[in-house]
Amino acid sequence: MRASEGWLVAAAVPLLCLLPVLWYVVRGEPRTRLVAQNLAQLLAAFVLLLSAQGFNRPTYLDLALVLAVLAPAGTLVYARFLGGLPPARIVRWTALAGVPAAVVPLCVAAGPGRQTVKLLVIGALLLAGALVTSAGSQPVTEPDAPSGAPEPPGGDEAAARD
Amino acid sequence: MTLLPYLVAGWIFLIGLYGLVTSRNMIHAVGCLSVTQSSTYVLLLAIGYRDGGTAPVYADAPTDARVVDPVVQALTLTDIVVGATVTALLLALIIQLHKRHGTLDPDELSELKG
Amino acid sequence: MTDVLIAVALFLVAATATAAVLNREPLRQALVLSFLGLALTLLFTFVQAPDVALSQLAVGSAVTPLMIVLTVGKVRRGSTSREHSIDDDDDDGGEGDVGDAGDAGEEAR
Amino acid sequence: MTRQSRLWFFLAAATVVAVLLVAAFLALPHFGGGFHPYGDRSVRAALAHRTANAVAAVNFDQRALDTLGEETILFAAVLGAVVLLRQIPGERQEAPRPAQVPAAVRRLGVLLLPVALLVGMYVVAHGQVTPGGGFQGGIVVATALHLLYVAVDYRALERIRPLALYEVGDVAGEAAYIVTGIAAMLAGSAFLANVLPWGTLGTLTSGGTVVVLNAAVGMEVACGVVVLLAMFLDQAVRIEESPGNSAATQGRTGK
């Protein structure tokens, strides 16, 4: 199996971003730590997505899929025990910018087929998870909601929480 | 690069043991134990790696692909699941310990015993 | 390039493991442990062990930290929470609550 | 032994261990080297049995007996946790309070729960073809159910989690593994031998008994982890030591 260097270089970018995030997980205040943990899961998902393409192994995408499914659960559990989810603009913008930036080129590279569907599902799950867990008390709109997803996480209740 | 993964595994092992020895909270000690366990995963997988190899999963690879060692991967898989159950059992014991003695400091606990 | 990725992931794992050991407050350590789970997952992916990465992802970043958090919750509930008078405020902003967790952290040290 | 002396004792021992470890590492085959005699043989054996995922082949075919041992460890650990974390005299159960969860989180949980269950089952079912298998998929399924706890509350989780059923599932998974092994003996082969037709490489039914054992392990792990987490959750959320000003924690975490 030939590895594609370009994709692996791209995967190195979110991987390197994890280093400063680690600092915040370790040394930040309780709220910062929770946000950093959430961000780390998002960045790790990007690494997994890009490296699956880099290693030319579509089956590695299962990892990103499982992470996308489990990440919100983990964050919400901590939110429960550490008391509340702080709003996190950085997670939100990383998701809004990073998910399309990673998923769209991957879809183009994969061409139409099962792999593209999987990529889109992963992207939608990541986006939904990150947007909800990063919402905090800010109203949230979901730009490209996945088909079959319920209505975008409502701003009404979120606004009511202010 | 030829030695780095092994050295990292050794470092994780020793730092985990350091945490276990100096721990003043049993829950923290269990966390350190799971760190120590992760050194075995790193070591096993490092031994099984092959330059330019790919995963021994032939769903999307030709059967003559250059693959890494599946045996150590299977061992590590087992290792991880057993590690999680050990953690669970130890944490259950810790809950009991705290119910009985009201403390989680290993030093205080050993004083209680004596 | 794979070697570079493996080296970075190894560094990340070593740093996270050290941090997990040196964080002596269990709740804080649980967060670092779930980060360690992620770092190990990435490392295992780079050494072409997706099976192992998958189980590390499920166990290391979800189940183990969850059990630690629950144990801490139980232990706190059994002892410190009784002394802690918890203000029954109804606002959702975790401000006071996060502070509480932090205080409890100070106590534990 | 004082704390100080213990630390010095450890440092001395750690230095020795470190030296020995480095010496051992120097003698190990180099990282990334090409010498993997066991790996090569087991890959050949996996392909001979038409199992695309060689790791699953090692776990459920070539080393199936060892995996039985491991499964039994898991089973024993669950049993141990159930015994250790049962409600003891002097403790009482506390009705968990309903939690107030932001609507967005609730919707996310309701959306993710079926997706996560599906992903978990997909990982179990494709264990012999793609990365994954009973262990990983089982844990994903078990974690997925707990989305209901974080997205709604503990009472909602309890409604879909009749513990007795999961305990039976745990036993059934373990039993199915052993029965498969004995069935192989009845078919005139060795315990846990791969006697079923192997099928074609890369299809869902390939691998013979690997498929069956994979499903059995998936069931046991999923049910076992659910029971395990239920014991911890009961301790953290439900069981109180004695009458006191409880429910505060639950009320607090319920937000």
Side-chain angles (χ1 to χ4, degrees):
Chain A
M1 294 308 281
R2 296 272 320 136
S4 326
E5 297 292 313
W7 291 107
L8 292 182
V9 173
V13 175
L15 181 64
L16 288 172
C17 291
L18 276 173
L19 292 171
V21 172
L22 170 63
W23 175 259
Y24 284 106
V25 171
V26 176
R27 303 237 44 114
E29 310 163 27
R31 296 177 138 227
T32 324
R33 288 201 303 255
L34 203 56
V35 172
Q37 168 59 22
N38 201 0
L39 187 61
Q41 289 176 326
L42 193 59
L43 290 172
F46 293 156
V47 179
L48 291 173
L49 280 171
L50 292 168
S51 60
Q53 185 68 31
F55 293 129
N56 271 322
R57 298 300 301 264
T59 48
Y60 286 19
L61 283 178
D62 288 358
L63 285 161
L65 182 63
V66 169
L67 178 57
V69 161
L70 292 185
T75 308
L76 292 173
V77 164
Y78 286 119
R80 238 179 213 213
F81 280 87
L82 295 170
L85 258 178
R89 230 172 305 147
I90 182 163
V91 175
R92 194 166 157 215
W93 288 114
T94 312
L96 284 177
V99 172
V103 170
V104 171
L106 285 172
C107 285
V108 171
R114 264 185 65 187
Q115 199 185 341
T116 309
V117 175
K118 208 189 237 179
L119 280 165
L120 289 174
V121 170
I122 295 170
L125 286 173
L126 279 176
L127 213 53
L131 288 182
V132 171
T133 51
S134 69
S137 53
Q138 287 153 4
V140 169
T141 46
E142 201 170 66
D144 53 337
S147 57
E151 61 273 43
D156 44 345
E157 295 88 354
R161 295 171 60 219
D162 280 327
Chain B
M1 197 60 199
T2 54
L3 214 55
L4 181 69
Y6 302 148
L7 292 177
V8 167
W11 168 254
I12 300 172
F13 179 72
L14 288 174
I15 193 78
L17 283 185
Y18 166 79
L20 274 173
V21 169
T22 57
S23 180
R24 304 204 42 196
N25 182 327
M26 295 294 251
I27 303 178
H28 171 256
V30 171
C32 291
L33 186 66
S34 72
V35 169
T36 315
Q37 273 168 343
S38 60
S39 75
T40 59
Y41 317 155
V42 175
L43 183 64
L44 279 171
L45 290 181
I47 289 172
Y49 185 67
R50 190 195 290 249
D51 277 329
T54 190
V57 177
Y58 294 99
D60 55 346
T63 46
D64 58 350
R66 186 181 163 85
V67 293
V68 299
D69 195 332
V71 178
V72 286
Q73 293 196 7
L75 291 176
T76 316
L77 197 60
T78 314
D79 196 353
I80 289 177
V81 178
V82 170
T85 59
V86 166
T87 308
L89 210 53
L90 284 175
L91 287 174
L93 281 169
I94 285 171
I95 289 180
Q96 281 299 329
L97 214 58
H98 187 262
K99 274 185 196 163
R100 291 275 152 88
H101 302 295
T103 177
L104 285 181
D105 188 330
D107 288 341
E108 284 179 39
L109 283 168
S110 54
E111 276 163 29
L112 278 173
K113 215 189 299 161
Chain C
M1 193 59 210
T2 313
D3 278 358
V4 177
L5 288 178
I6 292 175
V8 175
L10 278 172
F11 175 75
L12 198 65
V13 166
T16 316
T18 313
V21 166
L22 298 182
N23 263 288
R24 294 192 178 271
E25 203 279 303
L27 267 186
R28 198 181 281 223
Q29 195 200 24
L31 266 180
V32 184
L33 279 179
S34 78
F35 191 99
L36 179 65
L38 280 180
L40 284 169
T41 303
L42 295 180
L43 174 65
F44 297 167
T45 313
F46 297 151
V47 296
Q48 310 297 325
D51 281 275
V52 186
L54 211 50
S55 73
Q56 177 63 39
L57 186 63
V59 169
S61 67
V63 175
T64 305
L66 175 59
M67 286 189 303
I68 292 182
V69 165
L70 287 173
T71 310
V72 173
K74 170 66 185 174
V75 167
R76 288 238 171 104
R77 210 175 157 207
S79 56
T80 49
S81 78
R82 209 143 291 160
E83 297 142 32
H84 247 348
S85 66
I86 283 122
D87 43 333
D88 220 353
D89 54 350
D90 262 331
D91 71 311
D92 259 304
E95 198 101 50
D97 293 334
V98 172
D100 261 64
D103 289 351
E106 303 305 326
E107 248 167 55
R109 248 175 280 145
Chain D
M1 204 190 293
T2 64
R3 219 176 281 273
Q4 195 73 27
S5 62
R6 186 164 55 190
L7 185 62
W8 282 114
F9 186 67
F10 167 74
L11 287 178
T15 316
V16 175
V17 173
V19 170
L20 290 176
L21 278 178
V22 170
F25 292 157
L26 284 171
L28 274 179
H30 284 310
F31 178 70
F35 181 65
H36 297 287
Y38 291 108
D40 294 339
R41 281 172 180 79
S42 90
V43 163
R44 240 175 287 142
L47 287 176
H49 284 190
R50 308 278 183 281
T51 314
N53 184 350
V55 181
V58 174
N59 261 336
F60 297 118
D61 189 355
Q62 298 155 28
R63 289 181 59 236
L65 187 65
D66 300 6
T67 307
L68 174 62
E70 187 209 352
E71 238 206 330
T72 313
I73 293 178
L74 178 71
F75 186 74
V78 171
L79 202 65
V82 169
V83 171
L84 280 170
L85 295 180
R86 73 198 186 285
Q87 191 181 356
I88 53 172
E91 288 182 332
R92 63 194 183 90
Q93 292 239 350
E94 176 77 24
R97 269 206 202 166
Q100 280 128 31
V101 179
V105 171
R106 190 171 292 228
R107 280 194 210 114
L108 177 74
V110 172
L111 159 73
L112 271 183
L113 177 63
V115 177
L117 282 177
L118 212 63
V119 168
M121 289 175 190
Y122 160 81
V123 171
V124 176
H126 287 70
Q128 63 282 2
V129 185
T130 63
F135 290 112
Q136 301 95 327
I139 295 171
V140 174
V141 168
T143 317
L145 288 179
H146 291 83
L147 270 169
L148 216 54
Y149 168 59
V150 287
V152 188
D153 59 14
Y154 194 55
R155 297 188 304 174
L157 175 63
E158 283 185 323
R159 222 165 291 143
I160 60 150
R161 199 199 59 190
L163 259 193
L165 214 61
Y166 286 93
E167 281 163 1
V168 171
D170 192 20
V171 177
E174 173 85 17
Y177 202 105
I178 298 172
V179 167
T180 313
I182 294 174
M185 285 170 81
L186 293 181
S189 189
F191 186 62
L192 282 172
N194 197 342
V195 289
L196 289 178
W198 296 327
T200 29
L201 185 78
T203 56
L204 263 189
T205 49
S206 62
T209 49
V210 173
V211 184
V212 182
L213 296 180
N214 210 2
V217 168
M219 179 152 174
E220 194 202 330
V221 171
C223 294
V225 173
V226 166
V227 173
L228 209 56
L229 287 178
M231 298 325 284
F232 278 97
L233 273 167
D234 269 351
Q235 285 289 335
V237 175
R238 253 179 175 269
I239 292 178
E240 261 304 298
E241 199 178 314
S242 55
N245 61 339
S246 52
T249 317
Q250 169 58 13
R252 191 169 64 127
T253 54
K255 279 186 211 152

